[in-house]
Amino acid sequence: MTGVGVVSSIGLGRAAFFRALEQGVSGISPVASFDASPLGRQVAGEVKEFEPRDHTTHGEQQRMGRCAAMALAAARMAVADAEIKAQALAGPRTAVVIGTTMGEARILAEMEYEWIVHGPQAVTRALIPKYGSTLLPIHVARAVGAQGMVLALPAACAAGNYAISFAADLIRSGRADVVVSGAAEILQELQFSGFVRLAAMAPERCQPFDLNRQGLLLGEGSGMLILESEEHAMRRGARLQAEVREYGLSCDAYHITRPHPDAAGSITAMRGAIERSGLTPADVDFVNAHGTGTRANDLAEAKVMRDVFGDRRVPISSMKSMLGHCMGAASALEAIGCIFTLETGLYPPTIGYDTPDPDCDVDVVANAARRGKSDVVLNNSLAFGGYNAVTLFAKAGALPPPAPRTRPATRPPATGSAA
Amino acid sequence: MTPYAVTGLGVASALGIGREVFLQAVRDGLRACDGADDAQGPRLFDPSAVLSTPTSVRVAEVRGFDATKYLGDKGLRSLDRLTKLLVVAARLALHDARLKHDGAWATTASGSPAGPGPAQTGMVVSNAYGSLEAITELDRVAVLEDARYINPSRFPLTVSNSAAGYVSIWEDLRALNVSVSDGNCGALDAVAAADVMLSNGRADALLVGGGEAMSEALFLAFHRLGAAAFAAKGAEGPCIGEGAALLVLEEAASAANRGASSLAEVVGYGTAFRAPERDATLVNPSAEAMERAIESALADAGVAASAVDLVVSGVAGLRHFDEAELRALARVFGEDVAVVAPKLGLGETLGAGGAMGMAAAIAYLGRAADRAPAYLVRGSLRTPTQTVRTALVTSLGYYGNASALVMRAAAS
């Protein structure tokens, strides 16, 4: 991992974002992009200081929506942060993999409005080809000169982890040398309404692991990372910021919106990330939580921590207390929070943490950043659809190279078929 | 890539539901786009009720699709069409691969698992536009009434990976679930993602493919784009389709270990992206990307261009795209290679397109021809009765991307 780019409600770019994480700044404010007042909920982690024209050309603005503009802005910052030259980035060995949940949701909403109110012939023709999640990586690939795989991974709230982890696998399997990867998501009215109707949205604050939590808040933004094969990074003399070591995936196959109460899938994913890294739970210094601020999430995540780490109270913290839930972009921004921890030795705080929940016996980094050992951190995500993804990041050079992975000649016996 | 065995196929398509019905329809060259024959079952919607003006956009629906025949009638009410199509395809594919039997994971006579179980089985599924059906339904309520009235039980359907999430619940797939969105290249890209997952031991068997559902919004989008203006000369105009196709992929050696029979093998993948020359261009049929994707798929498979017997193309009746794809094929193979276009029968199924292409390839592979291949648009087989051993499946994206896949007949 050689570069990061950030568009968030607590700052644009690495420096501003890291500063805000250290200070525990809240990005929550009244929603300005649409009138949320009839819904009885009015705040979100809206990115107010982002202006597409500051980060994109006129031509780009003409052909893309706000979600792609955020993705592109973050990608450009990541490229600049990686100090990678255009010619080292251009070509068929560079891929772009971007996660999202709804992509250009506002473009779709605009077309639907035209159709519903004014009839089928009123739909603006030029908007139609601007909709589709596939466009996010396409726009970024155009801008950076990538000519390899362009892929969108709509993996809901785990999309960032999926994209970053898949990007690492693409490099490991020799299909790319460089991958621009991350995720982007924008706030949009229908989504906002839906979360209100699911009775999942808090009125003012998102308070993960707090006894008096009232639910989640939504947010938006984009986080992008430049991943390179070690050889490619060394050859160009890049500064290695972190190692994307391994990841674990699983699927609950239980409920479309709720995590499984026994958290078995989530536990499998976290153990998978640790074991595949050639490590044990004792090696993990910090967990960047999914931490949405709903009771179901907090209980599931606390159970995962107990199961994986036993009596050892590994510090955990939720950046959603500051950013709200940025859906597809959440775990990409949290991945950059992991980089923050590896680089600064600081765990970002969970702000608004007032009253410990006795049912969530975890070591929450409460209200102020905390200094601690920071060689190995986990980024946890539990998404809509029962998707679980956990990515393990390590300080560059902190771990010996992983043992070459060879598949067992005969598979271990299948288990769990009775369930 | 490591060769993968296709050990099962599940299809819910406009040409029929189930492996054999589908394969026979492809071999016979049936066309679902042609008529609005009401004997095939009720239509999802009446195009003339969506538009007040005539259109040349045709629709290939999964006519009379009744998910209860496959899934029972419990719990279907909250699901949308995309989810139902995908769950049916998944269930059929798992049974076809003998991973499941009578709805349960297969066991040996002694009761031990006969193959990969739920913890080792997952899916990688492509979809381009999600559930436009559900989004439109909720938007209508929000726009015309009040956003506070939207139905919370329908809201989850608006999330892009909702259908894939439901498939994992219905079919108990726990290893992993990856959703891919790359327009009509997505289903071939899903194979690349599956390769990464299988070769790294993240799952032992994966359902791989795609799904797309017809909706008024999709139909309207194609109509408003003036798709007719792009239509190939003399052709009837483009046809948009729907359906779901999922293939079960396992490493050939593990499939053989559990005694699974193989419908075909997937042996190579390639993809490429090419930015357009002009800043203002967005929609971009790139012959160069297609050519590079094909070259890279052939290299990945270790197959020479001369060894490809048949190309299962993405040609779908959109002139600029068809021309770009055929130009790329001519550059790699010359003008004579046999090129078929099953989308002439199935319609452009977008996120499911490449999966329908792979499924159609199975219809041609390993069979001695007794007539010209169905949906032939250019060239011919080397001899009229040649057996197709190696096929190339291609997809050309709308924005400058392209993907290709090499498939081989199962070793007999």
Side-chain angles (χ1 to χ4, degrees):
Chain A
M1 209 296 297
T2 56
V4 300
V6 185
V7 172
S8 83
S9 60
I10 58 172
L12 306 185
R14 157 205 280 272
F17 188 63
F18 279 17
R19 204 160 46 237
L21 290 180
E22 184 172 348
Q23 294 166 357
V25 170
S26 171
I28 305 304
S29 63
V31 175
S33 57
F34 54 89
D35 179 13
S37 56
L39 294 159
R41 290 287 185 274
Q42 304 188 22
V43 299
E46 194 169 43
V47 184
K48 297 226 163 48
E49 59 170 322
F50 178 73
E51 284 293 342
R53 66 172 176 273
D54 298 339
H55 305 272
T56 55
T57 67
H58 178 73
E60 285 164 346
Q61 289 156 42
Q62 294 300 303
R63 61 175 187 257
M64 69 181 66
R66 181 174 168 85
C67 190
M70 280 191 183
L72 180 51
R76 286 205 160 113
M77 293 175 202
V79 168
D81 189 44
E83 297 183 332
I84 186 166
K85 290 201 174 71
Q87 70 261 33
L89 202 53
R93 299 287 300 163
T94 298
V96 181
V97 181
I98 295 181
T100 189
T101 298
M102 305 297 288
E104 300 291 7
R106 285 193 199 169
I107 290 179
L108 180 60
E110 192 178 337
M111 293 190 289
E112 293 247 310
Y113 186 88
E114 291 172 332
W115 174 27
I116 291 165
V117 176
H118 301 295
Q121 296 300 335
V123 176
T124 306
R125 193 174 280 146
L127 285 177
I128 298 169
K130 293 187 195 173
Y131 176 68
S133 299
T134 182
L135 284 161
L136 302 184
I138 293 271
H139 288 307
V140 171
R142 274 181 81 161
V144 304
Q147 297 184 357
M149 180 183 274
V150 283
L151 197 61
L153 295 178
C157 315
N161 263 350
Y162 267 70
I164 294 161
S165 304
F166 181 69
D169 259 358
L170 270 187
I171 292 172
R172 272 191 286 261
S173 60
R175 289 200 182 269
D177 293 333
V178 185
V179 187
V180 181
S181 74
E185 199 78 53
I186 51 171
L187 265 185
Q188 194 265 328
E189 198 169 355
L190 182 65
Q191 222 167 23
F192 192 92
S193 312
F195 277 100
V196 173
R197 289 288 287 138
L198 285 172
M201 198 183 292
E204 284 171 16
R205 294 195 294 169
C206 168
Q207 297 172 278
F209 308 113
D210 190 290
L211 180 65
N212 301 315
R213 69 175 84 69
Q214 290 182 281
L216 56 74
L217 293 174
L218 291 182
E220 63 177 356
S222 176
M224 290 289 159
L225 292 80
I226 307 294
L227 304 190
E228 296 178 63
S229 69
E230 195 168 0
E231 193 197 340
H232 189 274
M234 299 298 244
R235 198 166 54 228
R236 70 176 188 88
R239 184 175 80 90
L240 308 185
Q241 299 191 12
E243 179 189 358
V244 182
R245 180 74 169 196
E246 253 296 347
Y247 66 104
L249 296 181
S250 72
C251 190
D252 281 357
Y254 168 70
H255 189 273
I256 198 72
T257 54
R258 285 197 298 273
H260 198 299
D262 78 8
S266 212
I267 291 164
T268 302
M270 190 175 283
R271 288 214 174 108
I274 297 169
E275 283 163 15
R276 285 178 152 272
S277 296
L279 302 175
T280 70
D283 297 311
V284 175
D285 300 316
F286 171 71
V287 175
N288 198 309
H290 187 59
T292 54
T294 64
R295 185 173 157 78
N297 175 91
D298 288 356
L299 293 182
E301 220 165 357
K303 178 152 195 333
V304 173
M305 295 296 285
R306 265 198 313 280
D307 256 74
V308 173
F309 298 109
D311 292 336
R312 187 172 157 250
R313 288 163 57 86
V314 175
I316 184 169
S317 191
S318 168
M319 287 166 49
K320 292 186 177 78
S321 62
M322 294 179 253
L323 296 165
H325 191 343
C326 302
M327 298 166 282
S331 51
L333 290 164
E334 286 148 16
I336 296 173
C338 290
I339 310 301
F340 161 80
T341 297
L342 296 175
E343 290 210 349
T344 62
L346 292 170
Y347 310 147
T350 299
I351 63 172
Y353 184 77
D354 302 330
T355 316
D357 179 351
D359 291 337
C360 287
D361 182 24
V362 289
D363 177 15
V364 178
V365 180
N367 300 313
R370 186 196 300 174
R371 192 163 292 281
K373 185 162 176 282
S374 303
D375 288 342
V376 174
V377 300
L378 291 174
N379 192 25
N380 196 28
S381 54
L382 293 71
F384 176 94
Y387 287 32
N388 304 298
V390 182
T391 309
L392 189 144
F393 295 88
K395 190 177 277 182
L399 300 178
R405 195 159 41 220
T406 48
R407 285 178 69 79
T410 51
R411 297 292 161 68
T415 53
S417 61
Chain B
M1 61 167 61
T2 329
Y4 295 102
V6 180
T7 56
L9 172 63
V11 189
S13 82
L15 291 179
I17 297 173
R19 189 215 326 157
E20 281 311 308
V21 172
F22 175 84
L23 295 180
Q24 194 55 50
V26 169
R27 287 173 193 136
D28 293 343
L30 300 189
R31 294 185 180 224
C33 305
D34 284 348
D37 176 3
D38 288 326
Q40 295 169 354
R43 308 194 73 171
L44 193 58
F45 60 87
D46 175 3
S48 66
V50 179
L51 302 171
S52 48
T53 48
T55 183
S56 61
V57 175
R58 295 170 305 142
V59 169
E61 268 181 45
V62 184
R63 294 290 289 273
F65 174 57
D66 179 6
T68 60
K69 283 187 195 161
Y70 306 89
L71 310 177
D73 51 11
K74 281 210 185 78
L76 291 183
R77 204 164 51 94
S78 59
L79 303 186
D80 62 333
R81 188 169 176 89
L82 174 61
T83 304
K84 286 186 253 192
L85 288 166
L86 270 171
V87 177
V88 168
R91 182 162 291 188
L92 292 173
L94 290 165
H95 282 79
D96 192 36
R98 298 180 189 278
L99 290 172
K100 284 192 174 180
H101 183 73
D102 283 350
W105 290 92
T107 52
T108 61
S110 63
S112 59
Q120 294 82 32
T121 307
M123 71 186 289
V124 185
V125 63
S126 148
N127 167 259
Y129 294 111
S131 182
L132 291 172
E133 165 198 338
I135 292 173
T136 301
E137 174 192 320
L138 299 189
D139 272 340
R140 276 190 187 283
V141 174
V143 168
L144 298 174
E145 290 187 271
D146 189 322
R148 283 174 296 179
Y149 300 161
I150 64 170
N151 181 346
S153 75
R154 301 284 286 177
F155 173 66
L157 298 171
T158 67
V159 180
S160 313
N161 66 324
S162 167
Y166 276 115
V167 174
S168 71
I169 294 168
W170 277 75
E171 296 307 310
D172 196 16
L173 307 173
R174 294 188 230 149
L176 57 92
N177 194 333
V178 176
S179 288
V180 165
S181 180
D182 187 11
N184 50 3
C185 292
L188 299 188
D189 297 338
V191 175
D195 170 42
V196 160
M197 299 295 161
L198 289 165
S199 64
N200 284 297
R202 297 185 190 280
D204 290 344
L206 288 175
L207 287 169
V208 185
E212 201 75 45
M214 185 58 60
S215 62
E216 294 187 6
L218 190 64
F219 167 74
L220 176 57
F222 270 76
H223 168 73
R224 281 296 291 158
L225 276 176
F230 306 123
K233 218 184 204 167
E236 298 163 281
C239 170
I240 45 167
E242 64 165 357
L246 291 167
L247 291 73
V248 177
L249 295 193
E250 300 172 65
E251 281 186 2
S254 357
N257 275 349
R258 73 172 180 97
S261 58
S262 170
L263 299 167
E265 287 188 334
V266 175
V267 296
Y269 163 83
T271 188
F273 170 74
R274 181 79 174 99
E277 299 300 328
R278 292 179 51 243
D279 191 35
T281 307
L282 181 58
V283 174
N284 174 28
S286 172
E288 187 191 323
M290 188 76 257
E291 188 180 345
R292 282 209 340 256
I294 295 168
E295 299 282 9
S296 131
L298 293 173
D300 193 39
V303 164
S306 57
V308 171
D309 303 313
L310 178 78
V311 177
V312 181
S313 74
V315 163
L318 290 172
R319 181 159 52 95
H320 298 302
F321 289 89
D322 295 354
E323 286 172 2
E325 189 163 343
L326 291 171
R327 202 156 60 237
L329 289 169
R331 274 190 220 145
V332 180
F333 299 104
E335 300 276 346
D336 298 334
V337 70
V339 179
V340 296
K343 286 178 183 175
L344 299 178
L346 289 154
E348 172 56 81
T349 57
L350 299 161
M356 293 292 174
M358 291 187 272
I362 293 170
Y364 298 102
L365 283 167
R367 292 175 71 90
D370 52 10
R371 59 188 158 184
Y375 312 116
L376 189 71
V377 290
R378 181 192 276 179
S380 60
L381 295 176
R382 287 183 198 91
T383 65
T385 57
Q386 184 199 349
T387 300
V388 176
R389 292 278 167 218
T390 304
L392 179 81
V393 183
T394 54
S395 288
L396 181 63
Y398 291 157
Y399 302 104
N401 54 325
S403 299
L405 198 73
V406 182
M407 293 178 72
R408 237 176 11 208
S412 48

